[in-house]
Amino acid sequence: MKYLKNIILLFAFLAIPCIAKSEVIETWECTEPKNTEILFIAQVNKGGETGQIKVDNITHDAFVDGSVYYKRWDFGLDESCTTYNYALVIKSEDKGLYFDFTQGYTVEPSQRLRCKNI
């Protein structure tokens, strides 16, 4: 397991310089369910494995995972550079779930969102 983390980190450090150069193929905007203020802008780059998340006017590089039923952006590496502090998951019915793992890992989202593909 330790070797797997090291391999993933090595790939991340090699891939990050290429992320910014990738063409954006998909963009999502997320708001609170009863609000119109955009809180998150999530993008997927060509190839579908990398992207960006814009939160509070700060853009983070992210790794993207997904299928027909969901998309997930993991971003904000922790101090040890082994795990991500945050995740945004958009389910197929355009419901967004934001997770803040800085206080520990949980299956409950820190915030529920309404998202739309633009």
Side-chain angles (χ1 to χ4, degrees):
M1 187 67 162
K2 183 177 180 180
Y3 294 112
L4 179 60
K5 284 184 182 179
N6 289 338
I7 290 170
I8 291 171
L9 287 175
L10 177 62
F11 173 75
F13 288 121
L14 293 174
I16 286 176
C18 300
I19 291 174
K21 299 174 188 168
S22 296
E23 176 186 356
V24 174
I25 60 168
E26 189 175 338
T27 301
W28 290 82
E29 293 180 344
C30 299
T31 64
E32 289 183 342
K34 295 183 180 182
N35 199 337
T36 58
E37 180 184 353
I38 297 169
L39 301 176
F40 296 87
I41 298 174
Q43 298 178 317
V44 179
N45 294 336
K46 187 175 183 177
E49 296 177 354
T50 61
Q52 296 80 33
I53 294 275
K54 186 173 183 179
V55 184
D56 294 330
N57 290 321
I58 299 171
T59 301
H60 303 271
D61 288 325
F63 286 95
V64 180
D65 183 32
S67 71
V68 176
Y69 304 106
Y70 77 95
K71 288 233 185 292
R72 178 183 174 125
W73 289 259
D74 289 300
F75 61 102
L77 278 172
D78 66 2
E79 291 178 3
S80 65
C81 294
T82 56
T83 58
Y84 290 97
N85 286 325
Y86 312 101
L88 175 66
V89 177
I90 299 176
K91 301 191 311 184
S92 61
E93 60 273 3
D94 298 342
K95 292 181 181 175
L97 304 171
Y98 169 69
F99 295 88
D100 180 346
F101 300 122
T102 58
Q103 302 299 316
Y105 286 91
T106 177
V107 294
E108 290 297 318
S110 306
Q111 192 170 13
R112 294 181 187 276
L113 305 161
R114 183 184 66 206
C115 301
K116 67 179 179 177
N117 190 344
I118 59 168

